Amino acid sequence: MVQETGQIDWKGAPELDVELLDVNEYSRPGATLKQVNGIVIHYTANPGSSAMANRDYFEGLKDAHTTKASSHFIVGLEGEVVQCIPTTEIAYASNDRNGDTISIECCHPDDTGAFNTVTYQSMVQLTAWLCNRFGLTSQDVIRHYDVTGKICPKYFVEHEDAWEQFKADVQQQIGVLVS
Ligand SMILES: [Zn+2]
């Protein structure tokens, strides 16, 4: 595991597979993320795809030039966490909030957009750890939907109760980290 620079409290951190993208204008612009005011949750909208496949898609944009897209982290179907961009740099995930948020893309098995149990557990662990690290609470965790109205992450847009439960689970895990 490659550690990022600076003093980082790794307590409660998920295991990170750090597979940084090459700096390029389509997926890793290399611009400094000056302040972290929130965490934005996404879903891949590509059922059954793995975290590494999504990471490789972002990497491929440097040659494909088809769109600008990326995410700091991707949580996979087996709960694995792939990091694509350092948290000191911006990602192309959350439109107007790229400049002050960290993004998490989440893999899902089917078109409902529901997350399986191990993916969900890693999402909670990663989000809580990032919140603790940047002095945030679950109130600072938002959906892509909350930025642009896009149906992302689909399950948490269509099931408000599941979204509220996710934030409650994140807050509980933050409590474990600070205790
Ligand atoms: Zn999204």
Side-chain angles (χ1 to χ4, degrees), residues 29-110:
T32 302
L33 179 58
K34 297 187 182 73
Q35 197 174 355
V36 178
N37 295 324
I39 311 289
V40 185
I41 307 296
H42 300 260
Y43 87 133
T44 64
N46 189 357
S49 62
S50 69
M52 271 306 287
N54 283 281
R55 179 266 175 205
D56 290 345
Y57 166 74
F58 292 145
E59 178 74 353
L61 293 175
K62 70 183 179 186
D63 300 315
H65 299 184
T66 44
T67 188
K68 293 185 176 181
S70 56
S71 182
H72 289 95
F73 299 93
I74 308 169
V75 180
L77 294 171
E78 291 165 11
E80 75 276 23
V81 181
V82 175
Q83 182 172 13
C84 304
I85 296 182
T87 57
T88 51
E89 296 178 19
I90 71 161
Y92 285 148
S94 307
N95 308 83
D96 288 348
R97 296 300 302 276
N98 284 337
D100 75 333
T101 60
I102 288 174
S103 48
I104 303 175
E105 280 279 357
C106 306
C107 295
H108 53 101
D110 58 45

